[in-house]
Amino acid sequence: MSEPTTATAATSASAADLAARARALDAADELGKHREKFALGGGSGQEDAGVYLDGNSLGALPAHVPARLADVVARQWGELRIRSWDESGWWTAPERIGDRIAPLVGAAEGQIVVGDSTSVNVFKAVVAATRLADGGRDEILVDATTFPTDGYIAESAARLTGHRIVPLDPAGIPGAVTDRTALALVNHVDYRSGRLQDLPGITAALHEAGALAVWDLCHSAGALPVGLDAHGVDLAVGCTYKYLNGGPGAPAYLYVAERHQDRFDSPLPGWNSHADPFGMTPGYRAADGAARGRVGTPDILSMLALEAALDVWDGVRIEDVRAKSLALTDFFLECVRVYAPGGRVTAVTPEAHAERGSQVALRCAEAPAVMAELIRRGVVGDLRRPDILRFGFTPLYVGFADVERAARTLADVLADIPPAGA
């Protein structure tokens, strides 16, 4: 590890302490052994793999997935061909993989089906929730800070179903629920700020008023305990290419609580969710269980890559992941305070553990230039315009030395880029 540059020389004593603490924390880290399961090399002849803090956008590749996927392509598709639907288990993959995701989000088996994109599953969940809600309820509460697509989909669903969208801050949902509320669509972790919303409290408030809770878990599944069953969530959706490391464009998933499955009325009925899919009858009759969330032919190649990727979770407790996530983000915030004082960056992510996901967002007036230079120097995060630097912490492969290096490099970059307006 290189010596502190001029930008951090004034805090060299603290820097030495932070570097030593990082080494000690890594040495004691029980999850550190899982890092070797991922392909984290520099590639293209690079000796330095850098620091990857963008797992909240695209998780790293589990090292064993290419060989597993090669078998899917060469043997299952190339040799067995259509026989693989039965002999290789292709047909049962959506529910089988859903059952593997279930423990990571606190769900019993039989309630999650994998397939389609997050956006498509949001549409299914929102429209189905309006059909599950008691008659006369004509409002959909939507997280005003939601990922934009969730808002677009909710607005479209509202036009189709005759409902009215009510946008508001998630913290205001409990006080805004009325007898007109059909459901609320909320992001468990805010994609921009990293704020963790109160899933138990919001869900309970909705239920008390007779409404349903639909949660987007894209930025929480695989990073922290969710407790879908324990907290009585009705419907949930999530992607699998972030903290679940399923690969770019990996299929999303839909959770339908068991108590709702016999009345779950999907707005996208397809042959794959028919009770007799090969009967090819003109009338639709929904399958039992979570399979009602299927639509068309599953995307087998990406789905089986995801199934292989989930092997990295064998023997891992999500509670341990959460503990390390909080320790990593605490340490990063401390390092940033030591290395980059002076107000050039300010934390947007809450300090309180109960309000923090597994990312840290920093506001910086020069964010586009700073992130471009960070990436050039081997620290990969991402940017949310106009002024947010985002850093995602995936506990299975990010270590404390990574955190210290990222903060130190950030300070160096800030020293080299003049403040806006200077």
Side-chain angles (χ1 to χ4, degrees):
M1 194 172 294
S2 62
E3 291 300 317
T5 64
T6 303
T8 56
T11 57
S12 59
S14 295
D17 176 63
L18 290 172
R21 279 177 53 202
R23 290 192 293 270
L25 287 166
D26 280 333
D29 176 21
E30 289 295 322
L31 290 181
K33 61 188 177 184
H34 296 283
R35 184 182 178 105
E36 65 186 21
K37 297 178 181 179
F38 293 86
L40 297 173
S44 303
Q46 299 177 23
E47 293 183 4
D48 182 5
V51 179
Y52 189 65
L53 300 180
D54 211 3
N56 54 330
S57 282
L58 177 64
L61 171 69
H64 67 283
V65 169
R68 191 84 64 84
L69 198 54
D71 176 72
V72 172
V73 172
R75 183 180 66 83
Q76 296 181 27
W77 178 16
E79 297 176 15
L80 295 178
R81 293 179 287 276
I82 201 167
R83 291 162 52 193
S84 276
W85 284 103
D86 291 320
E87 296 180 27
S88 300
W90 288 2
W91 183 257
T92 60
E95 290 76 39
R96 183 178 72 243
I97 301 171
D99 285 344
R100 293 195 65 184
I101 293 172
L104 299 176
V105 292
E109 293 184 353
Q111 299 178 101
I112 294 179
V113 62
V114 173
D116 305 310
S117 67
T118 305
S119 302
V120 171
N121 283 315
V122 168
F123 179 74
K124 295 178 200 172
V126 170
V127 174
T130 66
R131 295 172 177 178
L132 285 167
D134 295 337
R137 294 177 177 266
D138 62 354
E139 292 183 348
I140 299 173
L141 308 185
V142 176
D143 175 354
T145 60
T146 188
F147 187 75
T149 299
D150 284 20
Y152 307 155
I153 295 292
E155 289 174 358
S156 178
R159 291 194 300 272
L160 289 169
T161 60
H163 286 65
R164 183 172 73 95
I165 294 292
V166 180
L168 69 168
D169 186 279
I173 289 177
V177 184
T178 71
D179 57 6
R180 296 182 59 180
T181 305
L183 69 131
L185 171 64
V186 193
N187 282 238
H188 194 195
V189 173
D190 184 89
Y191 80 101
R192 184 183 294 271
S193 70
R195 176 179 290 277
L196 173 64
Q197 307 297 352
D198 180 11
L199 182 147
I202 292 173
T203 300
L206 288 163
H207 287 172
E208 185 176 356
L212 283 80
V214 181
W215 286 91
D216 182 329
L217 310 179
C218 285
H219 287 270
S220 59
L224 53 91
V226 177
L228 292 178
D229 287 352
H231 301 304
V233 169
D234 301 291
L235 301 163
V237 302
C239 67
T240 61
Y241 47 79
K242 301 182 190 298
Y243 296 108
L244 297 182
N245 311 297
Y253 58 89
L254 170 69
Y255 164 89
V256 182
E258 185 177 14
R259 66 186 180 280
H260 292 311
Q261 289 178 0
D262 62 345
R263 294 197 305 122
F264 179 82
D265 184 6
S266 174
L268 296 173
W271 77 278
N272 232 246
S273 61
H274 198 288
D276 182 15
F278 294 99
M280 301 298 171
T281 57
Y284 179 76
R285 181 165 56 89
D288 293 330
R292 288 187 175 210
R294 290 191 182 205
V295 183
T297 305
D299 41 354
I300 290 298
L301 297 183
S302 58
M303 190 167 290
L304 296 188
L306 165 63
E307 183 173 36
L310 291 171
D311 287 352
V312 301
W313 290 95
D314 291 347
V316 175
R317 296 174 67 251
I318 194 65
E319 294 79 8
D320 294 336
V321 171
R322 175 58 168 166
K324 182 177 176 183
S325 165
L326 291 172
L328 287 168
T329 50
D330 278 345
F331 190 56
F332 182 69
L333 288 167
E334 179 183 358
C335 288
V336 169
R337 283 192 290 266
V338 171
Y339 288 147
R344 291 285 300 280
V345 293
T346 57
V348 176
T349 305
E351 290 274 355
H353 286 181
E355 300 175 6
R356 188 195 309 165
S358 198
Q359 75 178 50
V360 171
L362 302 176
R363 178 164 282 116
C364 176
E366 304 80 25
V370 169
M371 183 53 68
E373 184 60 20
L374 279 170
I375 293 172
R376 194 186 71 80
R377 299 188 191 191
V379 175
V380 179
D382 68 15
L383 171 73
R384 288 294 176 263
R385 295 196 307 264
D387 60 355
I388 297 294
L389 302 168
R390 284 198 329 169
F391 302 93
F393 297 83
T394 306
L396 292 187
Y397 56 77
V398 172
F400 293 90
D402 295 325
V403 168
E404 187 272 337
R405 175 179 170 182
R408 180 162 40 84
T409 304
L410 173 61
D412 291 344
V413 170
L414 290 171
D416 292 341
I417 293 178

